Amino acid sequence: MSTTATTSAGPDAALRYAAEHADRFVDELCELLRIPSISTQDEHLDDCRAAAMRLATELERIGLERVELHETGGPPILYAEWLGAGPGAPTVLLYGHYDVQPPDPLDEWLSDPFDPQEREGNLYARGASDDKGQLYTHVKALESILATDGRLPLNVKLVIEGEEESGSVHLDGFLEEHAAELAADCGLISDTHMPGPDQPSLVASLRGMAYCEVTVSGPTHDLHSGLYGGTVRNPAEELGRLLATLKDADGRVLVEGFYDDVLELDPAERARLAEVPFDEAGFLASSGAKHLHGEAGYSTAERIGTRPTVEVNGIWGGYIDPGAKTVLPARAHAKVSMRLVPHQRPGSTAALLRRHLEHHAPEGIGVEVRELHGGHPCLVDVKHPAMQAASAALAAEFGRAPVFERAGGSIPVVASFAQVLGIAGTVLMGFGLPDDRLHSPNEKITLAQFHRGIAASIRFLHGYAAAPQSQESSSAS
Ligand code: BES
Ligand code: ZN
């Protein structure tokens, strides 16, 4: 890629436009948030499609080209581009997701999860931060530049999927099929958070994921607990016992081979991470738990960003409706996810879990482990020229240079960008805040963050367009 200077006047006009249209931008976001695009639940497939179509209409309206919905068998993938800056200018591949997590437990929301409500400078709704609100910052940045300059300072390709919250199962196929058309100099994603409103960050690594459903079975049918209790093994109890074998009391995972591929932190990286501000008290408060607890020998920030875990997400089986029924259930189930770090792999880690559970199951108890989805962990190339442009954009907008963070959540597409498209530099520029309650009741986005996100995106697109490009970046894993 050759060096190109932007021909536009810089970000000022677009920044002014964004400020002037701030209220409309929020109204539009509310419209998007009203659509319950829950990708994990099949009955919401039409809602997912409706969210994709609303975004498609908006992308067309603001002047993007080749706006296409790609059918996948699940929620469609939305593609759009603007390549008018020509081959001499850099190309940014922007990613976001329009799907959301289920809103349950519903009775803990102070307002309807799909009827956005503004309270004290925050907008509350499922997806407000993760990821509709953050994705929309870039849509509005693009609008602001196109409306004021009539062009973008660089080329942009957008991939917006509707299955991120359910494991991005069709995304790799799409990326592979369209790899040549998706070629870009860097990725750009806002689907993470920053340490606080005055401290921006760039994410240097994300954890991966292996998600499994475990079914433990015993008798062929449910049994009267008075007639059979104490005479045969109870699958619900055996499931509890099996899950308890996964970790020791200090949070270390006991699945054999689990840590074999884990990239241990070297002392220099550990020291560097310790410099990144982490508000432990605020983190504890945001959890609502009484104490922090995790793998011995690691700080909370290290546990979140650099250590793999096993988590039980849900357990069910037998009688769980109101009142009492005396029964020994024939089956019991659990959803078990594992957060992975470089260089663990989802498929082989799920196989380790299966082997462990089968090995520990007592005689007469069947164990089935079904893989629901997986995503690779990733390390980002923090020396990529796009990171410097992102750093400068965040510093200009938030008044402080960003810190490089290791995030605990997963965004499977980042590893896929590296592996399938060869894009090692994906800018993970989150505008969420740690107390946004992602996946929880009362999710919100702070409106000031939404507006500053739009401004930071405008600054980034202009800054990266003007930055010297280099091929010297190293590759992410
Ligand atoms: N936005 C999150 C991921 C995230 C949040 C990363 C905060 C870093 C900081 C994303 O939408 C998400 O929740 N992803 C899922 C992916 C999984 C289903 C494979 C996750 O992490 O549980
Ligand atoms: Zn999420």
Side-chain angles (χ1 to χ4, degrees):
M1 179 71 50
S2 64
T3 303
T4 35
T6 171
T7 52
S8 80
D12 292 352
L15 292 171
R16 266 196 311 276
Y17 177 97
E20 282 159 15
H21 293 83
D23 290 346
R24 170 172 61 84
F25 291 175
V26 174
D27 291 343
E28 287 174 17
L29 172 59
C30 288
E31 288 300 313
L32 187 60
L33 291 169
R34 286 198 177 92
I35 306 173
S37 44
I38 305 165
S39 61
T40 13
Q41 296 172 348
D42 291 346
E43 63 271 28
H44 285 285
L45 187 58
D46 285 347
D47 295 314
C48 290
R49 186 176 302 282
M53 282 167 65
R54 171 169 284 280
L55 279 164
T57 306
E58 181 58 13
L59 294 178
E60 248 165 13
R61 189 190 69 77
I62 65 174
L64 291 186
E65 290 161 3
R66 243 192 100 184
V67 179
E68 301 165 348
L69 285 186
H70 289 258
E71 293 304 330
T72 62
I77 294 171
L78 174 57
Y79 177 81
E81 64 185 28
W82 192 91
L83 304 180
T91 300
V92 172
L93 179 58
L94 175 67
Y95 165 92
H97 64 94
Y98 63 76
D99 63 319
V100 299
Q101 288 272 332
D104 61 280
L106 278 174
D107 56 1
E108 291 183 23
W109 284 80
L110 298 177
S111 53
D112 186 318
F114 296 108
D115 186 10
Q117 207 187 78
E118 196 181 320
R119 297 193 295 273
E120 291 164 5
N122 297 314
L123 187 65
Y124 290 86
R126 170 57 87 231
S129 178
D130 183 9
D131 174 43
K132 288 173 175 170
Q134 296 205 59
L135 160 65
Y136 217 61
T137 61
H138 298 291
V139 177
K140 294 296 102 177
L142 294 172
E143 172 184 336
S144 301
I145 303 177
L146 284 166
T148 48
D149 291 351
R151 66 189 302 281
L152 299 176
L154 38 60
N155 302 306
V156 173
K157 299 175 181 177
L158 290 91
V159 171
I160 305 177
E161 73 156 320
E163 284 184 296
E164 198 270 353
E165 300 291 6
S166 49
S168 299
V169 286
H170 295 98
L171 189 65
D172 278 2
F174 174 83
L175 297 181
E176 279 156 19
E177 194 182 329
H178 300 277
E181 298 153 79
L182 295 172
D185 297 288
C186 76
L188 174 61
I189 302 177
S190 294
D191 191 24
T192 54
H193 55 235
M194 38 196 265
D198 301 319
Q199 179 57 70
S201 65
L202 288 166
V203 166
S205 68
L206 287 162
R207 290 195 288 185
M209 161 70 70
Y211 202 119
C212 298
E213 187 165 312
V214 177
T215 298
V216 168
S217 54
T220 55
H221 50 280
D222 288 4
L223 301 172
H224 187 299
S225 68
L227 302 185
Y228 293 92
T231 68
V232 295
R233 290 191 192 273
N234 177 336
E237 294 170 15
E238 296 306 331
L239 174 64
R241 222 188 302 280
L242 279 171
L243 295 176
T245 66
L246 293 175
K247 279 185 204 167
D248 70 14
D250 288 331
R252 189 163 171 89
V253 177
L254 298 175
V255 175
E256 204 184 321
F258 186 76
Y259 292 100
D260 286 0
D261 295 330
V262 169
L263 178 67
E264 294 292 336
L265 277 182
D266 64 52
E269 176 66 2
R270 233 179 154 174
R272 202 193 58 73
L273 262 184
E275 307 266 288
V276 176
F278 182 78
D279 175 8
E280 188 131 342
F283 178 79
L284 175 61
S286 78
S287 76
K290 302 267 181 305
H291 304 281
L292 296 176
H293 173 76
E295 190 183 357
Y298 295 91
S299 71
T300 304
E302 287 171 345
R303 287 171 185 163
I304 296 168
T306 73
R307 299 299 295 166
T309 64
V310 174
E311 308 291 340
V312 177
N313 299 254
I315 308 180
W316 72 104
Y319 186 69
I320 54 172
D321 290 333
K325 177 187 179 193
T326 48
V327 69
L328 298 184
R331 280 170 295 281
H333 314 261
K335 306 256 187 196
V336 178
S337 65
M338 295 174 282
R339 295 280 167 180
L340 312 179
V341 300
H343 301 290
Q344 289 176 300
R345 283 158 299 154
S348 49
T349 313
L352 294 177
L353 176 73
R354 180 178 293 118
R355 202 173 65 189
H356 174 96
L357 293 174
E358 284 172 355
H359 174 73
H360 283 81
E363 205 180 27
I365 287 293
V367 178
E368 188 201 338
V369 176
R370 201 156 60 87
E371 284 178 63
L372 298 190
H373 63 68
H376 288 268
C378 69
L379 291 171
V380 170
D381 173 11
V382 295
K383 301 227 158 54
H384 191 280
M387 298 310 151
Q388 280 133 45
S391 240
L394 290 170
E397 184 53 38
F398 291 92
R400 198 184 284 187
V403 288
F404 280 95
E405 275 190 286
R406 282 170 166 263
S410 307
I411 308 178
V413 74
V414 184
S416 302
F417 275 3
Q419 285 163 13
V420 181
L421 304 178
I423 299 173
T426 290
V427 172
L428 289 156
M429 182 160 81
F431 306 120
L433 291 175
D435 64 355
D436 280 353
R437 302 210 170 186
L438 311 186
H439 300 198
S440 301
N442 303 308
E443 178 180 350
K444 59 92 173 155
I445 190 162
T446 296
L447 285 169
Q449 293 291 116
F450 174 66
H451 296 302
R452 292 180 107 176
I454 297 169
S457 174
I458 293 171
R459 292 181 193 280
F460 169 71
L461 295 170
H462 271 286
Y464 186 47
Q469 300 292 306
S470 122
Q471 295 286 355
E472 281 162 30
S473 45
S474 60
S475 169
S477 89

